Amino acid sequence: MLRNILNLTRVFLIGAFHRGSKKKRGRRRILLYAFLFLYVAAMLSILSYELIGALAALHQEEAFLGLVFMAVISLTMLTSIVASINLFYFSKDNLFVLPLPFRPEEVLAARFNTLLIYSYMEEAMLALAPLILYGILCKQGFLYYLFLLPVFLLLPVIPLLITAMLIVVFMAFTGGIRNKNLVQIAITSLTIVFSLMISMFSSSMSSQQEAMFMLEKANGLAELYAKAFPSMPLAMAAMTRYSFLSLLGLAAVSIGAYVLVCLFGHKLYYKGMLGSLFSSSGVSERKLDEKAFLTKGKYVSYFSKECKTYLRKPTFFTQLILPVILIPPFMLLVFRISLRSAGAEVFNLLEMIYETKQYAPYIVAVALLIAMFNASYCFISIVAVSKDGHDAYAMKYIPMAFSDQLYVKTAVDVFLCLFICLVTMILSAWIFKVPVIYLLMILPEVILYSLAHGVLIILDARHPKLGWSAEIEIAKNNLMMMAVLAFTLIHMALVALMAFLLNTNAVSIVLLICAFDLLVCILGYGYIRKEDLKLADNIE
Amino acid sequence: MIEFKNVSKSYKKGVKAVDDLSFTVNDGEIFGFLGPNGAGKSTTIRMLTGILNIDEGQILLDGKDIAKEPIEAKKTFGYVADDPDQFLALKGIEYLRFMADVYDVKDSGNKIRELTKRFGIDDVLDGRIESYSHGMRQKIIICGCLMHDPKNWILDEPMTGLDPRSSYDLKQMMSDHAAAGNCVFFSTHILDVAEKICDRVGIINKGKLLFVGTLEQMRETFREDVSLEQLFLEITENAA
């Protein structure tokens, strides 16, 4: 049984991590992850340094460990909701595994092991740097690091088991969900909204309240978690008192729970899994009305096809569309709540700034910066070709110029960017009472910026990734996202430079950045037209 | 009419996937393109349809060069790929409307009704293609390809997944299409089908065209009184 579980785990992990990429792309991917890891580790280390210092002043350093463990448990549970649904139920290899002579508990154990490996990666990103920093700052000895490894490995087990079992029970008693697309969209949307609501809630506390909360209530919060997750007090005891007994207890509880779940959970798991393998709405036999047969014209039809692909494929919708629509407005609302808790003086100050003509360049610059930053959540242009996968071959044999098809694909990105920029402007007018004149002033640039944003499709057209087996490879694990960030940063840097360093007036800022984006559009879209055939050659 | 003139394609240096292919598919005939796995059939079809670039030579569709006049050449054919798992996010009716729009089909509503009724999928058009069975996906793709009444039909393993009725209908349509003076070029592994409906066949192996002609010519050249299957095995084995 153990050998089967290990073999299956290995196969699932290979399937999960293998992207069929060439060595060069694999190296680039490793570099990207290394960079991200270092970046996150650096940010967390800075935060941890401040927090450890503050806790040490109250002789509550050990509370830091509790906070880190709570963060690990919270993150594990949050991220494993979507991961467990996809891995346990909507993984394509279920079709191949089911006919093989594996026991259901072996399959469940192997799936859970895969989930655990994912969570270790997240845990390493979140907790490794802070825990090591704690060890250094609090001058912990060899035993601290010796106990750290097993605690690191055992801590996520119970939270993962709880999430996994909740999902298993949900899927078992909801009739073997047929519409997997709806399930994926619903669960992911709820997760995003929940995460944003946590941000909103935490920022609604004033900074003084936060400090009080963190410093005085840290242990209390840890006690709350300790009641929900029995592994947590054992982990704390192991790390603070170097108790081998606690460590053994942690291992026993985690492994025991794991074994119990696998032995008894498999029936529920299979109940939900069989029947959700073949997805979607089922074949509809509704009669079509005349309107359904009406044609729209080549370009409208193509645009409609593109939109439907983004809206109907759950991964594309939740990774590419939903973040653009939800996150920027939520973040603005969060900022508004933070301002409100700072008091009415802030709004008086803003009003005074708006009335002072000499601040006009800064107002225009900040409005542009916020709009550009929010538009950076849009990654449509850099996946517009790749997202088609093998359907992209159709781009080559239908009688429509390749450049025309790229223009239509770009239009989705342009509209989405424009949408979020306009929403940002409207919210700014409402939340921060920005005078309409300033928003009208930046409108031409917002339109041109959105158009210029679409030019990034060239990057995807030059190096399309069509051989993906899971949509997440394109929608999430995509190096080209750095290009979108670079595009945004360049624009933001230009605007900031003009406003804050060169003291350019407001109208000139807008005109100059408009000219820049106009040039980008002319050169970019011109390149697409000129290199039509060469770009088409990249789809082979 | 489809003309291949000294067409070659290499994937790696020195390794030719297709080597100096020259033959013509005339109007009014059904041409079967046969070959073992990895022979170069798909590469040939992809060059024919513009998916792959030609390294050497020329492919003409009704006199239009696929490399030099791609848009005009693409309007002359309807292509059914070997993989029917396309546009899965679209509903059947949306896919057909899209194809009608791309090919500027007039009176597409009636065309859609006629084709889908013929293949027995007129009552499932409101469902998404991802919910269709393999055979239904094949049928919807075929309907999409035939929507604009192309002169040249290019079909890559079109019978795969079709039920006997639909398979029969498709063969009948192919015969009627050729009889009307048009051209059908299709690849298949089902030699019985090729034997029954093809006017001429071409056999390719390891990138080289081993034979082009009618079955009678094949029997005269190689052996008499054996099936196409046995001739095919003999030809491809000797060439190997």
Side-chain angles (χ1 to χ4, degrees), chain B residues 36 116 126 139 149 183 192:
Chain B
T116 53
D126 199 40
K139 289 179 193 179
D149 284 328
C183 162
D192 287 342

Side-chain angles (χ1 to χ4, degrees), chain A residues 31-47:
Chain A
L31 272 169
L32 171 70
Y33 286 138
F35 171 75
L36 278 170
F37 180 85
L38 287 169
Y39 176 77
V40 171
M43 299 303 294
L44 288 171
S45 298
I46 295 167
L47 280 165

Side-chain angles (χ1 to χ4, degrees), chain A residues 492-510:
Chain A
M492 289 173 76
L494 283 171
V495 168
L497 184 75
M498 285 190 282
F500 299 107
L501 284 175
L502 301 176
N503 295 315
T504 319
N505 68 61
V507 172
S508 299
I509 290 173
V510 175

Side-chain angles (χ1 to χ4, degrees), chain A residues 51 66 72 104 217 255 309 318 327 337 350 371 395 410 478 496 508 510 517:
Chain A
L51 193 55
V72 164
K217 300 290 180 187
I255 294 167
T309 307
T318 54
I327 295 175
I337 291 166
L350 279 173
M395 291 178 75
T410 266
N478 195 335
S508 299
V510 175
D517 278 329

